[in-house]
Amino acid sequence: MTATLADDRSVRLSAGPLVRRPKTTRIAGMMLAVPATVFLALFLLVPAVRLVASGFLTQDAHGALGGPVTLAHYVHFFGTALYSHVLLVTLRISLLTAAIAALLGYPVAMVMVRSHPAVTRIVTFITIAPLIVSVVVRSYGWQLILGNGPTGILNWVLLSLGLIQTPLRLLYSETAVVIGSLHVFLPMMVLPLASALGKIDPHLEEAARTLGMPAWRVFHRVTFPLSLPGLAVGFTLVFSLTAGSFVTPAMLGGTNAQMLGNLIDQQITAVYDWPFGATIATVLVLIVVGVNLVSMRLLEGRRRMPATS
Amino acid sequence: MVALLGPSGCGKTTSLRMIAGLVQPTSGEIFIDGRPVTGIPVHRRNIGMLFQNYALFPHMTVAENIAFGLEARRVSRAETIERVNDVLQLVQLGGFGDRMPAQLSGGQQQRVALARCLVVEPALLLLDEPLGALDKSLRESMQVELRALQQRLGITTIIVTHDQDEALTLSDRVAIMRGGRLEQLGTPTEVYEMPASRFVAGFIGVSNFFRGRVERRDAGEARIVTATGEALVVEGGAADHDEVTVALRPEAIVIEPLSDDACDAANSVVGSVEQVVYRGFVRHTYLRMDNGETLIAFQPSRPGSEGAAVIAPGARARARWAAGSNRIVRDERAG
């Protein structure tokens, strides 16, 4: 009985600097992280290092990688108009998707947070539901809807209603990829936004309104700034996932809206130029990391600005 | 300054939120300065509302928080700076303008929240349990400060509280609410000394209650006899019905050792002392009356004369009080 009491106390006070858990407990605690760490080291870190290294190696006639170390692949990538264009398209599609996801996501997240619990549950389910269906299936669906001929569902509807005279050319375009990506990644925006909005004390908005601000200005001055951490997470997620996507641009973008992912696929599986594929992959990852750092910095900076002004 | 006082869930906060416009009343009208405001949205009512948790904007400095209402009213930058500085002086937080709310203590945050309300010169100041989150000593000093400030500025103020001391200390008039209805509206003295109902008498302070029949009505007084035979004389005596409830404040009762004389006098009961609780300046005596009910009496302790007046638990004693202390109250339970 006394032993149990003592144990309880040591656990409760373990955060304090004066009380330490027994050494064996601490080691046992660290051991718990070992399997995952080993797994990640073996199957993520090592291949990643090899991938980056491949981009600086030369491939001989038999396809084996070796010396000399070279920057030729990078020069080739940035020197060729086609590749720069694909890079630009990738950035444009990803930024646009993330931005539109934010615009669409805010109202949904607001409803999710502010409504009756039953409504919240339904909206949450509807938001998450697309994740249950495979990306391939969803992209096929969009192919049917956006089909360029008069038989594409959207074109057929618009033509029947007399709203357009000639079929729209939506499929195999950047627009189609943005639409498809939005459909897939919107939950990644809504969920962090809802979480951030849910943490805002409703009294803050009430206080702002009693102080004389109409509702839309309250959103601008109070709700939006306080939800920025959620927006930062959502934006990062949607941007990164879109930039790295492969299936959606392959099925909805065709050759008009190729993205870096498709380029990598071509280089590895069709051209068998592994060093160049590795180069593109490295560029892709660096860009994603770079954009994320910039967006985080902007959002964080905005949030901290009042403290320094 | 009016206090809305009542137990939790009695509708006082809801009333305040209706005045603010944060919730719509299902029926009835709300007037501010004689102007109906029921249909006017919150942001055009020109009110200041102080929330229990202060609701300071965590992403803005103290100065930006205070300037918020001026920003909403599109006041010029120069005037904003001047008014913010003035009000910071007023709440004794000069020089704190650049701090973030999280860097302030509870009392300081409270003052910022108050300054944020005051700077817009509201027609009406609404305080929702403003001192509930502060510890006792800070609460008492803030009560005094708040009262002084409100009187100096002369802003009509409505304060919601469940703390009767706070209501009595701060306000000119107290509205006691129960179950969404107003029980009594009066000055602190009125609601304490002349409670209108059994609920008010029991909610503000402590009361003893007697139920009885009016036996005789004379000019200026009435004689009431309870079911178990105790006789009470009530001044004023204007009881409409025969069954009445009489409230009696414990501090009006004198406890004395049993003596032979006047054993059947009105406004006097005999019983055995059950418990005596020493509470510093006052002594609570619980007297078990012969009819089985307990009577509470508060008697001032007089340091120096210790012992002589104290009647030990178990002893028989007499409680008596002046007729003027009896107060007939409305009693919902009596039907």
Side-chain angles (χ1 to χ4, degrees):
Chain A
M1 193 61 213
T2 38
T4 324
L5 272 175
D7 280 352
D8 269 350
R9 193 167 310 152
S10 73
V11 169
R12 221 178 306 128
L13 295 177
S14 60
L18 291 176
V19 182
R20 304 190 108 184
R21 266 191 257 182
K23 207 172 177 188
T24 48
T25 319
R26 270 183 290 142
I27 291 169
M30 280 189 268
M31 292 296 282
L32 290 174
V34 166
T37 312
V38 169
F39 181 85
L40 283 178
L42 278 181
F43 299 105
L44 182 71
L45 209 58
V46 172
V49 170
R50 285 207 51 172
L51 175 90
V52 172
S54 305
F56 296 97
L57 296 177
T58 318
Q59 199 172 23
D60 63 21
H62 307 286
L65 295 180
V69 173
T70 173
L71 280 174
H73 311 301
Y74 284 88
V75 173
H76 180 50
F77 181 84
F78 288 106
T80 312
L82 170 71
Y83 300 139
S84 313
H85 175 70
V86 172
L87 174 62
L88 210 68
V89 168
T90 305
L91 282 176
R92 193 159 56 211
I93 287 177
S94 309
L95 284 174
L96 207 59
T97 305
I100 297 175
L103 286 179
L104 294 176
Y106 258 104
V108 180
M110 286 286 237
V111 171
M112 217 183 235
V113 171
R114 299 292 155 83
S115 303
H116 187 269
V119 178
T120 300
R121 222 167 297 147
I122 292 167
V123 174
T124 309
F125 178 76
I126 293 173
T127 309
I128 300 176
L131 294 175
I132 299 168
V133 184
S134 131
V135 184
V136 179
V137 174
R138 274 186 285 181
S139 298
Y140 269 122
W142 282 112
Q143 277 192 341
L144 292 177
I145 293 171
L146 300 175
N148 281 336
T151 51
I153 293 174
L154 187 67
N155 273 329
W156 178 76
V157 169
L158 291 178
L159 285 168
S160 318
L161 292 174
L163 291 173
I164 52 170
Q165 306 309 319
T166 49
L168 298 173
R169 300 196 56 80
L170 279 175
L171 194 59
Y172 307 126
S173 70
E174 286 181 30
T175 312
V177 180
V178 170
I179 292 174
S181 304
L182 272 177
H183 185 211
V184 185
F185 299 130
L186 192 60
M188 306 299 172
M189 177 64 80
V190 172
L191 296 178
L193 271 184
S195 149
L197 287 169
K199 283 191 200 122
I200 300 175
D201 177 3
H203 283 143
L204 292 181
E205 284 171 31
E206 291 182 350
R209 280 162 66 208
T210 61
L211 286 166
M213 276 221 183
W216 65 271
R217 284 182 73 196
V218 170
F219 178 83
H220 173 239
R221 287 292 280 129
V222 178
T223 316
F224 179 70
L226 288 174
S227 68
L228 280 180
L231 181 63
V233 173
F235 195 91
T236 305
L237 277 173
V238 174
F239 176 84
S240 311
L241 291 169
T242 309
S245 62
F246 164 73
V247 173
T248 311
M251 295 180 67
L252 301 177
T255 47
N256 299 321
Q258 269 204 333
M259 290 173 67
L260 288 179
N262 310 105
L263 219 51
I264 297 169
D265 172 58
Q266 281 171 14
Q267 292 302 319
I268 304 285
T269 61
V271 186
Y272 295 115
D273 189 347
W274 284 37
F276 193 55
T279 301
I280 305 171
T282 308
V283 170
L284 176 60
V285 169
L286 286 180
I287 282 170
V288 167
V289 170
V291 169
N292 287 341
L293 285 179
V294 170
S295 69
M296 286 294 218
R297 180 66 57 84
L298 285 177
L299 294 174
E300 294 275 311
R302 230 195 119 154
R303 196 149 52 100
R304 235 181 272 131
M305 200 171 58
T308 51
S309 73
Chain B
M1 187 180 276
V2 178
L4 298 181
L5 177 67
S8 37
C10 73
K12 43 191 202 301
T13 295
T14 305
S15 307
L16 199 72
R17 291 169 61 83
M18 283 195 298
I19 297 169
L22 294 169
V23 285
Q24 282 295 315
T26 46
S27 64
E29 281 275 333
I30 295 164
F31 294 87
I32 296 177
D33 272 342
R35 203 164 51 97
V37 295
T38 320
I40 296 180
V42 192
H43 62 274
R44 280 199 233 115
R45 290 196 184 185
N46 194 30
I47 44 164
M49 183 158 176
L50 189 60
F51 292 80
Q52 188 173 6
N53 63 357
Y54 316 137
L56 295 177
F57 307 121
H59 59 302
M60 298 182 196
T61 63
V62 167
E64 286 172 323
N65 262 283
I66 297 174
F68 195 87
L70 300 176
E71 184 190 330
R73 287 162 177 76
R74 305 195 188 282
V75 173
S76 77
R77 192 169 168 76
E79 192 189 337
T80 298
I81 292 171
E82 195 187 315
R83 282 168 73 173
V84 167
N85 282 333
D86 286 351
V87 79
L88 272 172
Q89 296 296 333
L90 186 73
V91 297
Q92 295 159 29
L93 281 176
F96 280 71
D98 290 333
R99 304 261 190 113
M100 299 303 281
Q103 295 171 301
L104 302 181
S105 72
Q108 289 168 334
Q109 290 186 21
Q110 157 109 54
R111 286 170 209 220
V112 175
L114 187 63
R116 189 175 65 177
C117 299
L118 293 177
V119 76
V120 299
E121 290 163 7
L124 182 63
L125 189 59
L126 304 172
L127 312 175
D128 185 8
E129 303 262 2
L131 307 171
L134 302 178
D135 58 56
K136 195 174 185 303
S137 61
L138 190 57
R139 191 159 65 222
E140 281 171 3
S141 69
M142 281 302 289
Q143 277 175 8
V144 176
E145 227 172 280
L146 201 59
R147 179 73 174 137
L149 202 59
Q150 187 264 337
Q151 285 187 326
R152 187 140 59 91
L153 300 173
I155 300 177
T156 307
T157 303
I158 300 177
I159 178 171
V160 156
T161 179
H162 63 265
D163 181 343
Q164 44 170 302
D165 289 336
E166 197 167 288
L168 298 180
T169 313
L170 281 174
S171 42
D172 302 301
R173 285 200 291 169
V174 180
I176 291 128
M177 294 183 66
R178 176 202 198 188
R181 296 189 173 279
L182 186 66
E183 282 274 317
Q184 187 176 1
L185 175 66
T187 64
T189 319
E190 279 167 5
V191 294
Y192 186 81
E193 291 179 9
M194 291 180 281
S197 68
R198 180 179 179 130
F199 173 78
V200 174
F203 187 75
I204 296 191
V206 180
S207 288
N208 296 294
F209 296 103
F210 296 94
R211 303 250 321 116
R213 293 182 62 80
V214 176
E215 202 186 58
R216 203 175 66 226
R217 285 192 184 89
D218 292 332
E221 62 174 43
R223 184 181 170 84
I224 295 156
V225 179
T226 67
T228 47
E230 286 85 23
L232 306 169
V233 173
V234 178
E235 276 185 357
D240 298 341
H241 21 264
D242 292 345
E243 284 281 336
V244 293
T245 298
V246 172
L248 174 64
R249 290 294 183 192
E251 64 269 28
I253 302 172
V254 176
I255 301 277
E256 55 190 17
L258 213 51
S259 56
D260 293 334
D261 57 305
C263 52
D264 278 335
N267 298 331
S268 135
V269 293
V270 173
S272 54
V273 174
E274 224 175 29
Q275 204 181 355
V276 178
V277 182
Y278 180 68
R279 295 282 299 265
F281 62 93
V282 72
R283 201 183 300 280
H284 296 187
T285 304
Y286 294 80
L287 185 77
R288 170 77 67 181
M289 294 183 284
D290 290 344
N291 66 10
E293 285 175 38
T294 306
L295 191 74
I296 304 170
F298 296 168
Q299 297 195 275
S301 335
R302 290 195 187 80
S305 64
E306 195 62 42
V310 179
I311 296 166
R316 302 276 297 165
R318 172 184 302 279
R320 59 174 177 80
W321 58 93
S325 314
N326 286 326
R327 168 104 195 138
I328 292 176
V329 293
R330 195 172 68 233
D331 190 347
E332 295 78 2
R333 282 184 239 176

